[in-house]
Amino acid sequence: MTDYSYLMRGIVPVATESSVLVSSSRYLNDPRVRDWVATHLLRRNGPDVPTPSDSIQLVQILREVQDIDRINALLAAERARNPALDAWFREGFVSTFQTADLAHYAPDTVGGIFYAQLTDKNLQVDIVPPFEPRNDFEYFQLRAGQTHDLEHIIGGGGFDFIGELVPYYMRLANLFVHLEPELAGELSAFSILGSTRILTRAVLHYPQTWLVTLDALERGATVGRQSDPIYLMRYEDVFHLPLDEARVALGIRGARFADTAEASAQWN
């Protein structure tokens, strides 16, 4: 038998008086995060637990696990050295449009594409917040939620489970390109956990879809690396433009449509 003991050198047992799991990671310390990761990175898809519910649970958990005061301090420091970000927060723009407001846009425009997506799937725009953001982090999260579906369109991601990787990795790359690393990391906790569940399920349970899954990840990361700060973009201003022109106007680069619908249909 091969001796791998050399790979285990340097491990130092840590003594503790604690009767429960304790580590240096707030995520590992929280049983809700451990359960979410174990469940949603390892499970198969199924109609008993619709995939959108995964992310809602994760958002609610992270609100209590992350150090929001620290994130707001990091945002304040970033605003002090980043005039564009500071101006974005000062303006505090919030969307209020509804599905009917998109009906007059031409089919090949961003607004028209979004309108077709909403009406074809009998969906409603649900972007008007039931609360006033109390701090910078809450406003950042609010706008991220309001623009997520539009990032599918602008970035070239399909409106299906694997297609979610495009907007996920757009932001995962883009935040680290344009922001200080600690802040980018804090703002990416949801994205890295939410996206990883798609990757592990593909390999463990739907391996025939892995290359399509990997392609979606790579396409999203390409857009994120090459584009202007995505989190500052106001997609509502380009509803009237054809998709290619809208990307140029916003500063989106490297976007190509990732056709993931057929592969996603195999995840049952």
Side-chain angles (χ1 to χ4, degrees), residues 143-164:
R143 279 303 285 162
Q146 290 194 329
T147 60
H148 176 77
D149 285 350
L150 292 162
E151 287 171 9
H152 275 269
I153 296 170
I154 294 293
F159 282 86
D160 51 72
F161 194 51
I162 298 175
E164 289 288 343

Side-chain angles (χ1 to χ4, degrees), residues 225-242:
R225 284 181 178 276
Q226 296 182 10
S227 298
D228 292 348
I230 290 170
Y231 48 90
L232 299 182
M233 294 179 182
R234 189 185 296 187
Y235 304 107
E236 297 87 345
D237 289 347
V238 298
F239 280 167
H240 64 292
L241 293 178

Side-chain angles (χ1 to χ4, degrees), residues 33 42 63 66 69-70 89 107-108 117 128-129 164 178 190 198 200 205 228 249 252 264:
V33 176
L42 301 179
R63 283 175 181 168
Q66 290 190 277
D69 289 340
R70 175 60 179 165
F89 275 116
D108 65 336
Q117 178 64 33
V128 180
E164 289 288 343
H178 295 288
F190 169 81
I198 303 174
T200 53
H205 302 302
D228 292 348
I252 291 286
S264 288

Side-chain angles (χ1 to χ4, degrees), residues 75 79 84-92 135-137 139-140:
L75 284 167
R79 289 181 64 173
L85 181 65
D86 184 60
W88 181 74
F89 275 116
R90 287 181 183 278
E91 182 180 14
N135 52 55
D136 286 350
F137 179 64
Y139 176 73
F140 190 96

Side-chain angles (χ1 to χ4, degrees), residues 34 42 181 204:
R34 297 198 301 270
L42 301 179
L204 297 178

